């Protein structure tokens, strides 16, 4: 129970059950000499999440307007006495295998999680309530995935041990429900929650007749324009697809260009010990992830909002009547109101990237015990470690690992991960 909810919905019941079958213990499995241990697992459970803000269900007032020299109060957020737990149902299936005298260990898991009654703002009719929306248990999201782990002891001896392992994951989520059954501005029902929403790039306009024309209220044909009728598309400008055919390019023309989640991601590790010397290495990898390099060839604005220039530009990079094969539109479209022209927010900047990074490398040495006899030191270990030592990737930008995981857009404002080297000494007294 929790007092942050409405008084009639403060309590929740969240049961769970787990079942396992160690089939390797069965008599008919004894002939499989190579199988040291095997187990099938299945579980189901419900869980509840309470929100941190204590007054969402009760409503909050705020100061506003002055009457007779005193500030008045209006609702900042509307009360909802039915606001209750965010609930999740999760199903898991798993398989554990240990083989060859426990030398090889494998683990496979599948899970499906359906989260319902998630908090979101639902809109109220009209404005009679002095507020246009309130918090409600109105949305639902599903998460589904497969995870696999493998570990193998290559060498197992008294003074020499070496083990290697790797893991991989494939996960996806989906927006299942909204308060009114309609798409949101940045999320679409039936599609992943995290996606790239951007403008469709249809190339630079080379001829006057390629500029889309639309009739206005009086029937006069006017060109496609950006944000304001004072910013029309002309020859030399980047043609952005008018997704809703209303004659203006604005946020309503953003479209879903793909999920930001990778096809596969995971890590590789190795641990080696030999006579007090240890060697640990950890790699991380991602395969087939869509990202958008917004600052590549376009991280600049020619307005007072001057951005960071990440490239060297030549005069012939920009469209002119004598340079129609240029990479960028005419400089006439450098104003920030011309969205998609020089801000990098177009789908032609989307890349399908993969990378492998050495996340950590540690070399250590455990001093022999006989070296410490007669001293007050019981144990001593010296080590040298490095983090983010190198990166192999097909990404055209700086660091694919720091790109916003929700939008998939790299706007050049994030620092790449630091390379770090540490020399240390651990003493035990």
């Amino acid at each position: 129970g929790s007092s942050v909810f409405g008084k009639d919905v403060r309590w929740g019941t969240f049961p769970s059950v787990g079942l396992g079958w160690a089939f390797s213990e069965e008599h008919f499995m004894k002939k499989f000499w190579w199988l040291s241990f095997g187990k099938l697992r299945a579980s189901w459970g419900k869980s509840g999440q309470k929100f941190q803000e204590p007054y969402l269900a009760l409503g909050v007032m705020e100061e506003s307007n002055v009457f007779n020299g005193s500030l008045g109060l209006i609702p900042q957020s509307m009360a909802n006495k039915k606001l209750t737990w965010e609930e999740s149902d999760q199903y898991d299936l798993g398989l554990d295998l240990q083989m060859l005298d426990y030398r090889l260990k494998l683990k496979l898991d599948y899970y499906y999680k359906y989260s319902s009654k998630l908090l979101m703002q639902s809109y109220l009719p009209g404005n009679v309530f002095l507020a246009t929306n309130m918090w409600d248990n109105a949305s639902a999201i599903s998460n589904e995935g497969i995870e696999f782990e493998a570990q193998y002891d290559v060498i197992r001896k008294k003074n020499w041990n070496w083990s290697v392992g790797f893991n991989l994951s494939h996960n996806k989520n989906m927006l299942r429900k909204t308060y009114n059954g309609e798409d949101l501005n940045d999320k679409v029902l039936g599609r992943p929650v995290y996606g790239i929403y951007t403008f469709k790039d249809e190339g630079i306009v080379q001829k006057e007749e390629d500029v889309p024309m639309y009739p206005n209220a009086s029937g006069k044909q006017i060109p496609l324009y950006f944000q304001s009728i004072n910013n029309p598309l002309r020859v030399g400008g980047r043609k952005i697809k008018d997704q809703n055919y209303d004659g203006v390019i604005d946020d309503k023309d953003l479209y879903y260009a793909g999920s930001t989640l990778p096809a596969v991601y995971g890590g590789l590790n190795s641990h080696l010990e030999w006579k007090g010397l240890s060697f640990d290495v950890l790699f991380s990898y991602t395969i087939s992830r869509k990202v958008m390099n917004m600052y590549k060839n376009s991280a600049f604005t020619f307005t007072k909002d001057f951005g960071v220039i990440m490239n060297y530009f030549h005069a012939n990079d920009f469209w002119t009547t004598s340079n129609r094969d240029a990479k960028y539109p005419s400089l006439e479209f450098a104003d920030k109101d011309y969205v998609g022209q020089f801000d990098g927010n177009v789908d032609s900047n989307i890349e399908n990237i993969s990378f492998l990074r050495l996340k950590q490398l540690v070399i250590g040495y455990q001093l022999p015990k006989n070296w410490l006899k007669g001293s007050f030191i019981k144990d001593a270990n010296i080590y040298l470690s490095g983090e983010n030592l190198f990166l192999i990737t097909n990404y055209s930008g700086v660091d694919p690992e720091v790109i916003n995981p929700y939008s998939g857009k790299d706007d050049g404002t994030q620092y790449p991960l630091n390379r770090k080297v540490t020399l240390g000494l651990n003493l035990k007294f």
Side-chain angles (χ1 to χ4, degrees), residues 385-424:
S385 70
E387 298 178 18
N388 305 316
L389 295 181
F390 70 79
L391 173 69
I392 301 173
T393 181
N394 63 336
Y395 180 50
S396 65
V398 177
D399 190 340
E401 200 167 356
V402 300
I403 298 173
N404 189 318
Y406 306 110
S407 68
K409 295 180 178 181
D410 186 0
D411 58 5
T413 60
Q414 299 297 319
Y415 282 105
L417 295 181
N418 294 326
R419 184 178 291 115
K420 183 179 179 182
V421 177
T422 304
L423 177 65

Side-chain angles (χ1 to χ4, degrees), residues 184-186 188 191 196-202 212 214 223-228 231 233 238-257 292 337-341 345-347 409:
L184 306 178
N185 290 336
D186 59 343
V188 177
R191 285 180 175 164
I196 299 176
Y197 291 84
T198 186
F199 295 106
K200 180 71 175 177
D201 183 3
E202 297 188 318
Y214 295 83
L224 178 70
Y225 61 88
F226 294 79
Q227 309 281 2
S228 166
N231 303 308
L233 176 62
R238 191 190 304 276
K239 183 182 176 185
I240 303 298
K241 185 174 181 180
D242 184 12
Q243 299 282 359
N244 58 356
Y245 299 99
D246 63 354
V248 56
I249 299 299
D250 53 23
D251 287 349
K252 296 177 182 178
D253 296 301
L254 295 170
Y255 83 104
Y256 174 78
M292 190 167 159
D337 290 329
Y338 282 95
V339 293
Q341 299 293 318
N345 195 13
V346 287
D347 61 358
K409 295 180 178 181

Side-chain angles (χ1 to χ4, degrees), residues 142-197:
S142 66
N143 283 273
E144 183 178 18
I146 295 176
E147 298 177 346
F148 176 74
E149 297 179 19
Q151 194 78 24
Y152 182 61
D153 296 334
V154 183
I155 299 173
R156 289 194 306 194
K157 294 184 178 180
K158 183 178 180 180
N159 294 319
W160 194 7
N161 293 285
W162 181 27
S163 63
V164 295
F166 87 101
N167 65 80
L168 63 85
S169 299
H170 169 74
N171 302 284
K172 64 180 181 179
N173 55 38
M174 206 76 71
L175 178 63
R176 297 295 186 181
K177 181 183 176 183
T178 61
Y179 78 96
N180 60 357
E182 298 179 1
D183 299 336
L184 306 178
N185 290 336
D186 59 343
K187 296 176 180 63
V188 177
L189 283 167
R191 285 180 175 164
V193 176
Y194 307 142
I196 299 176
Y197 291 84

Side-chain angles (χ1 to χ4, degrees), residues 346-406:
V346 287
D347 61 358
S348 54
N349 287 327
I350 294 177
E351 303 178 27
N352 194 322
I353 65 106
S354 301
F355 70 84
L356 174 69
R357 165 169 261 145
L358 178 54
K359 291 292 292 183
Q360 189 173 55
L361 174 65
V362 182
I363 301 173
Y365 183 65
Q366 190 83 23
L367 297 183
K369 297 291 186 181
N370 58 350
W371 289 14
L372 305 174
K373 284 184 178 180
S375 71
F376 56 88
I377 300 176
K378 294 182 179 180
D379 200 9
N381 177 273
I382 186 171
Y383 65 91
L384 177 67
S385 70
E387 298 178 18
N388 305 316
L389 295 181
F390 70 79
L391 173 69
I392 301 173
T393 181
N394 63 336
Y395 180 50
S396 65
V398 177
D399 190 340
E401 200 167 356
V402 300
I403 298 173
N404 189 318
Y406 306 110

Side-chain angles (χ1 to χ4, degrees), residues 9-27:
V9 289
R10 288 177 176 169
W11 294 91
T13 302
F14 306 107
S16 63
V17 61
L19 300 173
W21 176 35
F23 56 85
S24 58
E25 304 301 311
E26 302 293 345
H27 180 73

Side-chain angles (χ1 to χ4, degrees), residues 18 56 74 140 161 168 215 221 238 272 282 303 307 367 373 412:
L56 288 186
I74 64 170
N161 293 285
L168 63 85
Q221 293 289 321
R238 191 190 304 276
L272 175 66
L282 173 64
T303 65
L367 297 183
K373 284 184 178 180

Side-chain angles (χ1 to χ4, degrees), residues 273-378:
E273 291 182 0
W274 180 71
K275 294 184 178 181
L277 185 66
S278 63
F279 184 86
D280 290 272
V281 62
L282 173 64
F283 290 90
S284 65
Y285 69 88
T286 290
I287 300 175
S288 188
R289 176 190 174 193
K290 277 189 174 182
V291 299
M292 190 167 159
N293 191 345
M294 292 181 64
Y295 69 82
K296 174 191 175 185
N297 304 328
S298 55
F300 57 91
T301 25
F302 293 92
T303 65
K304 59 185 178 181
D305 301 330
F306 197 85
V308 178
I309 297 179
M310 303 297 294
N311 299 282
Y312 181 74
F313 298 96
H314 300 273
N316 61 1
D317 287 341
F318 306 101
W319 189 96
T320 64
T321 53
S322 59
N323 185 35
R324 295 180 178 273
D325 294 328
K327 292 188 293 184
Y328 314 114
S330 168
L331 292 175
E332 297 179 21
F333 296 92
D335 190 291
K336 65 179 181 180
D337 290 329
Y338 282 95
V339 293
Q341 299 293 318
F342 287 105
D343 56 14
N345 195 13
V346 287
D347 61 358
S348 54
N349 287 327
I350 294 177
E351 303 178 27
N352 194 322
I353 65 106
S354 301
F355 70 84
L356 174 69
R357 165 169 261 145
L358 178 54
K359 291 292 292 183
Q360 189 173 55
L361 174 65
V362 182
I363 301 173
Y365 183 65
Q366 190 83 23
L367 297 183
K369 297 291 186 181
N370 58 350
W371 289 14
L372 305 174
K373 284 184 178 180
S375 71
F376 56 88
I377 300 176
K378 294 182 179 180

